[in-house]
Amino acid sequence: MDASVTVNQDSAAIRSNNPPKLTQDAVDTIRRIPGVAGADGRGGGTLPLIKSNGKAVQAFASTIETTPQLQEFDLVEGAYPKADNEIALDVRTAKSTGIGVGQKVSVLGQTDQPVPLTVVGTYSQGSNALSLSDQQVLLTPSGISKLDKQSGVYQVVAAAAPGVSQQQLVDRISAQLGADYKVQTGDAITQETLQHAGRGTGGLTNFMLIFALISLVVAAMVIYNTFTILVAQRTRELALLRCIGAERHQVFGSVLLEAFVMGLIASVLGLGVGIGLAAVLQKAVAWFDGSTAAVSLPMSGTVVIAAFAIGVVVTVASAGLPALRATKVAPLAALRSQPDSHDEVRRTGVLRTVSAVLLLLAGAGLIGLGMNLKDPDSALFPVGGGTMVMLLGVIVLGPLIVGPINKVLGAVPSLLFGVPAKLATANAGRNPRRTAATTAALVIGVTIVTMVTVVATSGKQAAGAEVDKRFPADFTVASSVYDHPLPATLPGQLKSVPQIAQVAATTQTVMTVAQSGDQGIQGIDKSAIGTMVNPKLVSGDLSQVGPGTIALNKSAVGTAKLGDQLLVSTPDANKMLKLVAIYDANELGDGLVTLDTFAAIAPKVIGYTQVLVKMKPGVSVGDGQNAMDKATANVAVAEVNSAAATKEQLNAQIDSLLALMWALIGLAVVIALFGIANTLGLSVLERTRESALLRALGLTKGQLRFMLVIESVLMGVMGALMGVVLGGAFAWVLIQAISSPDLQLGLAIPGGQLGVLLLAAILAAVVAALMPARRAARTSIVAGMAEA
């Protein structure tokens, strides 16, 4: 495609409510312009597809370009349709519906009667508005207009003759058509499509970036802790370097150079793994989607530079403080045996304590500020930010916290497992700063997981309760195709079902209300008001809604007052209605009237938008669903939903987001557990002589391994438990902040999920300790005692 023609939405004709249209005449005009090698209109319309279960789904039927180079479809199997009774399916639709080449399908015509068609082929398509949507897509000849009156051409595409540039072609078409049409080059359209796809994934991208940032913070803590331990273990080595003339800046540079090399190697590995995962994910998405698109790995210098910059900068920055500490090693330290961690054994200093207190006060201040805001949306940011600042304060204060927690947690294994457990508890509490730094990464991950999980669980319970309160109907029947309403005979069919106690139909259209303008007014069976439809009442009396009256949503009242006579009209009729009630419900229309009143004002609106159904007492959800399915089997557009299904669907969406979040945070937790394993491994080297002495005093290899496993479990449980407590507390604060009169959230603790989280932390800690424990047990007593 070299040029695209669409209606100019900024033209004077649009502003004068006389919009121009793209027709076949416009296509023929473009074809006659010099320099045009071919031109076709892209168009189509809705064409509900009837699946194998007899139910219709919303689909879009697109026409085929006659110029080969303008076609945006690639044939996968069979052939393109040529006759009006033939159709092709995109591979996604063919897979989701189970319909293959050669099979007969039906679509709904203008009168809701099935029209049989033959599937002659399947195809795939490039990125466009249809492929980026989740709509079922069909491919038909130009005969779509016989089935859908609303079909038409939405774009004309043209190909340039040899020697004619895209811009030259655009200039010629623009001169011929005038300002009512927007003419763009093919390259410009491609950029717009990419930007549209980018906007669609912007939220997911930001979501992923947040958790990537969390993972970087966790990794930075692990790197910092690792270099801190390495510097402590190399005290004599660093002192010897100072003795033979090494300057402080040389020692500092050597540590940073080591970090630079590690960051460089990690960046190479990370970039390679990232590219591989991107390819695997694309293949997986294509398989689930039924697409045949090739894997695309657009690599640019910016991506490579960013990957290396992040990897190297984070590693070097994390090693900065340990490198600075290395410069403070005195040359005389080479004459002493290496102590365990030197000043790292100190719990904390004044500066750390003051910093932690300031952070905690700042976080509390932000939370207090947010809690005083009346708008929940405005409160979310300061309260959420305050919780993160307080979390940082707890992390900074960690060395003062881990000691008491370690003693409490270590009491149980010490009673159960004796000497190895007591030694493990002592080792875990020996160096509070190191233990705090090791568990900090785990605390961050578990805190965020717990906080989001508790908030989401509370939200699910509140939403479910709200569904039950606002829509006490057991089942609802709606049309699966937006421009094909439910037939007027459906409520009668449902009333004849023995299991059903009450049926109420609803319909909706736009009406003009004198005091407030165009509003979506909903007609509803009188019997449903106050029973199956029970909105929050602001003023008035919903039971008064009847002939000659109306109830309005508070957002649609305008200047009207309770008791006013309102002129409500459509192009076909009008009626004076008395305002008898004002309600507040986002899920309902702008106004409520009875079906008789609705029919008097909008006589040309046929059918219903929804039917509410209440079952008789004692009918189970399963029996009710079966009865509803049978009663609506002959109505192709009837889609049955239940309150239970609505809540299940809502819960499934939240659970999907939680699963993604757990998976992403899981990466950060894995990094944290690598930190625990790394700390234990370095501690094993640091305590080689001590371990050998314990072996000489009678500790077996198994007891030594068990001691290290318990030490790892204590750190893992400590981090997870702190995260659960902090996450639960922060979740309660967030719930209080985002609760509103419209949706009151109560704290709901998902005990099962949090229990799984703690159990996973224990198991992961055991796995993290296996290699260090094995290495410690394999060291001989004689070799260990010989260590300086």
Side-chain angles (χ1 to χ4, degrees):
M1 175 180 64
D2 296 310
S4 163
V5 181
T6 55
V7 173
N8 185 1
Q9 298 299 322
D10 296 325
S11 68
I14 291 288
R15 293 193 295 270
S16 63
N17 293 324
N18 185 26
K21 294 183 179 180
L22 286 173
T23 62
Q24 187 59 42
D25 291 340
V27 177
D28 295 336
T29 298
I30 294 171
R31 284 173 177 169
R32 291 192 294 267
I33 295 174
V36 175
D40 283 293
R42 288 179 178 171
T46 56
L47 194 62
L49 176 67
I50 301 178
K51 298 192 295 184
S52 56
N53 62 358
K55 294 298 183 179
V57 293
Q58 187 77 49
F60 185 87
S62 181
T63 55
I64 308 171
E65 296 87 349
T66 58
T67 307
Q69 61 264 41
L70 294 176
Q71 291 179 354
E72 53 182 350
F73 309 106
D74 295 320
L75 192 66
V76 175
E77 184 182 1
Y80 286 125
K82 297 179 180 179
D84 288 347
N85 64 343
E86 294 179 341
I87 200 169
L89 304 180
D90 76 321
V91 288
R92 292 186 307 164
T93 302
K95 183 176 181 179
S96 65
T97 59
I99 300 172
V101 175
Q103 293 183 335
K104 296 284 186 180
V105 298
S106 294
V107 296
L108 285 183
Q110 297 174 10
T111 59
D112 280 353
Q113 296 300 314
V115 178
L117 299 172
T118 301
V119 179
V120 296
T122 60
Y123 65 93
S124 63
Q125 57 185 332
S127 295
N128 55 27
L130 292 177
S131 65
L132 294 175
S133 71
D134 58 356
Q135 205 172 42
Q136 311 287 343
V137 184
L138 320 174
L139 198 60
T140 70
S142 58
I144 177 65
S145 59
K146 299 177 182 178
L147 299 173
D148 182 13
K149 291 181 179 180
Q150 303 300 320
S151 64
V153 176
Y154 61 85
Q155 181 188 28
V156 178
V157 291
V164 179
S165 69
Q166 289 190 1
Q167 190 58 52
Q168 289 174 330
L169 184 64
V170 166
D171 293 340
R172 295 177 186 181
I173 296 174
S174 298
Q176 181 68 36
L177 296 183
D180 287 341
Y181 298 92
K182 183 179 180 181
V183 187
Q184 297 173 275
T185 63
D187 292 340
I189 288 294
T190 300
Q191 290 300 319
E192 279 192 5
T193 302
L194 292 174
Q195 290 175 4
H196 176 74
R199 285 194 298 269
T201 59
L204 179 61
T205 301
N206 293 335
F207 186 77
M208 299 287 283
L209 286 175
I210 289 173
F211 287 102
L213 180 61
I214 293 172
S215 296
L216 283 176
V217 171
V218 171
M221 289 183 173
V222 172
I223 295 168
Y224 165 80
N225 199 36
T226 300
F227 272 92
T228 298
I229 298 172
L230 287 174
V231 168
Q233 291 176 338
R234 294 176 183 172
T235 299
R236 294 187 66 188
E237 177 185 333
L238 295 171
L240 284 172
L241 288 174
R242 295 296 310 282
C243 285
I244 62 176
E247 299 290 339
R248 290 180 182 271
H249 71 272
Q250 291 176 313
V251 174
F252 182 78
S254 68
V255 177
L256 290 189
L257 180 61
E258 183 179 353
F260 177 83
V261 173
M262 288 178 59
L264 200 63
I265 295 172
S267 297
V268 172
L269 294 175
L271 183 62
V273 173
I275 294 172
L277 287 176
V280 171
L281 286 174
Q282 287 186 58
K283 277 291 186 183
V285 171
W287 184 83
F288 282 112
D289 214 19
S291 171
T292 58
V295 172
S296 175
L297 297 172
M299 291 295 298
S300 64
T302 303
V303 173
V304 176
I305 292 173
F308 278 86
I310 291 172
V312 172
V313 169
V314 169
T315 306
V316 173
S318 302
L321 285 177
L324 184 63
R325 190 171 295 138
T327 64
K328 298 179 181 179
V329 176
L332 289 176
L335 304 178
R336 300 193 298 264
S337 296
Q338 181 176 329
D340 183 8
S341 306
H342 283 275
D343 61 335
E344 290 296 309
V345 177
R346 292 187 298 111
R347 291 183 182 274
T348 188
V350 176
L351 180 61
R352 179 186 290 265
T353 303
V354 171
S355 300
V357 171
L358 290 177
L359 286 170
L360 291 173
L361 290 175
L366 284 172
I367 292 174
L369 176 65
M371 297 291 281
N372 288 325
L373 296 175
K374 295 182 179 180
D375 182 14
D377 293 334
S378 302
L380 183 60
F381 181 76
V383 172
T387 60
M388 293 300 99
V389 173
M390 290 196 74
L391 174 60
L392 181 59
V394 173
I395 296 300
V396 173
L397 203 61
L400 289 176
I401 301 174
V402 295
I405 295 177
N406 177 66
K407 289 181 180 179
V408 174
L409 293 178
V412 175
S414 297
L415 290 174
L416 295 177
F417 304 114
V419 173
K422 292 180 180 179
L423 290 172
T425 303
N427 287 334
R430 175 190 297 183
N431 192 326
R433 293 178 68 175
R434 178 184 297 182
T435 302
T438 302
T439 58
L442 188 60
V443 170
I444 292 174
V446 175
T447 297
I448 295 175
V449 167
T450 302
M451 181 172 63
V452 177
T453 302
V454 172
V455 171
T457 303
S458 303
K460 286 196 297 186
Q461 286 195 3
E466 194 68 15
V467 169
D468 293 336
K469 179 181 178 182
R470 300 300 180 197
F471 290 97
D474 296 318
F475 291 90
T476 60
V477 185
S479 176
S480 58
V481 183
Y482 77 92
D483 57 348
H484 287 252
L486 297 170
T489 57
L490 181 59
Q493 290 180 219
L494 294 173
K495 288 178 181 178
S496 64
V497 176
Q499 294 92 336
I500 293 178
Q502 185 181 2
V503 175
T506 70
T507 186
Q508 185 168 343
T509 193
V510 175
M511 298 182 184
T512 301
V513 181
Q515 281 85 343
S516 56
D518 290 345
Q519 305 291 347
I521 304 300
Q522 188 171 356
I524 189 166
D525 193 304
K526 168 70 174 175
S527 64
I529 300 176
T531 56
M532 288 190 288
V533 174
N534 190 27
K536 180 182 178 181
L537 188 64
V538 176
S539 61
D541 186 0
L542 281 174
S543 66
Q544 296 298 314
V545 177
T549 63
I550 186 172
L552 289 177
N553 203 325
K554 72 172 186 178
S555 60
V557 171
T559 60
K561 297 179 181 178
L562 203 64
D564 286 353
Q565 292 288 334
L566 311 178
L567 178 63
V568 182
S569 61
T570 67
D572 305 310
N574 61 75
K575 193 175 181 66
M576 295 296 296
L577 302 178
K578 181 181 178 181
L579 180 59
V580 296
I582 299 174
Y583 59 88
D584 182 13
N586 294 329
E587 66 277 0
L588 290 179
D590 298 320
L592 289 178
V593 296
T594 60
L595 287 176
D596 292 341
T597 303
F598 186 95
I601 304 173
K604 291 187 178 180
V605 176
I606 300 173
Y608 300 112
T609 56
Q610 193 177 58
V611 178
L612 308 177
V613 177
K614 194 171 186 64
M615 291 291 168
K616 291 181 179 178
V619 178
S620 66
V621 174
D623 291 340
Q625 184 71 53
N626 292 333
M628 291 294 296
D629 290 340
K630 290 179 182 179
T632 60
N634 64 334
V635 182
V637 297
E639 184 177 42
V640 178
N641 294 299
S642 66
T646 301
K647 289 187 285 187
E648 183 179 345
Q649 183 180 14
L650 179 65
N651 292 344
Q653 293 173 349
I654 297 176
D655 289 341
S656 297
L657 290 175
L658 278 178
L660 177 61
M661 190 215 63
W662 274 59
L664 293 173
I665 287 292
L667 296 177
V669 172
V670 168
I671 295 172
L673 292 171
F674 272 115
I676 293 177
N678 198 22
T679 298
L680 285 175
L682 294 173
S683 296
V684 165
L685 294 176
E686 185 179 71
R687 301 199 297 250
T688 299
R689 191 174 184 182
E690 176 184 321
S691 298
L693 181 60
L694 290 172
R695 291 285 315 284
L697 293 174
L699 200 70
T700 65
K701 288 185 177 182
Q703 288 176 318
L704 181 62
R705 286 194 293 263
F706 188 55
M707 178 188 73
L708 288 169
V709 168
I710 292 179
E711 184 178 350
S712 177
V713 169
L714 284 174
M715 287 192 288
V717 172
M718 191 185 308
L721 196 59
M722 289 175 63
V724 168
V725 173
L726 289 172
F730 293 160
W732 179 83
V733 171
L734 281 173
I735 287 170
Q736 297 302 311
I738 64 179
S739 291
S740 66
D742 295 331
L743 184 62
Q744 287 291 334
L745 298 181
L747 185 65
I749 304 296
Q753 289 176 298
L754 297 184
V756 169
L757 187 61
L758 289 172
L759 180 61
I762 294 174
L763 294 177
V766 171
V767 173
L770 292 180
M771 289 299 295
R774 183 170 178 268
R775 184 181 303 156
R778 292 179 62 182
T779 302
S780 69
I781 297 176
V782 175
M785 294 292 289
E787 288 285 336

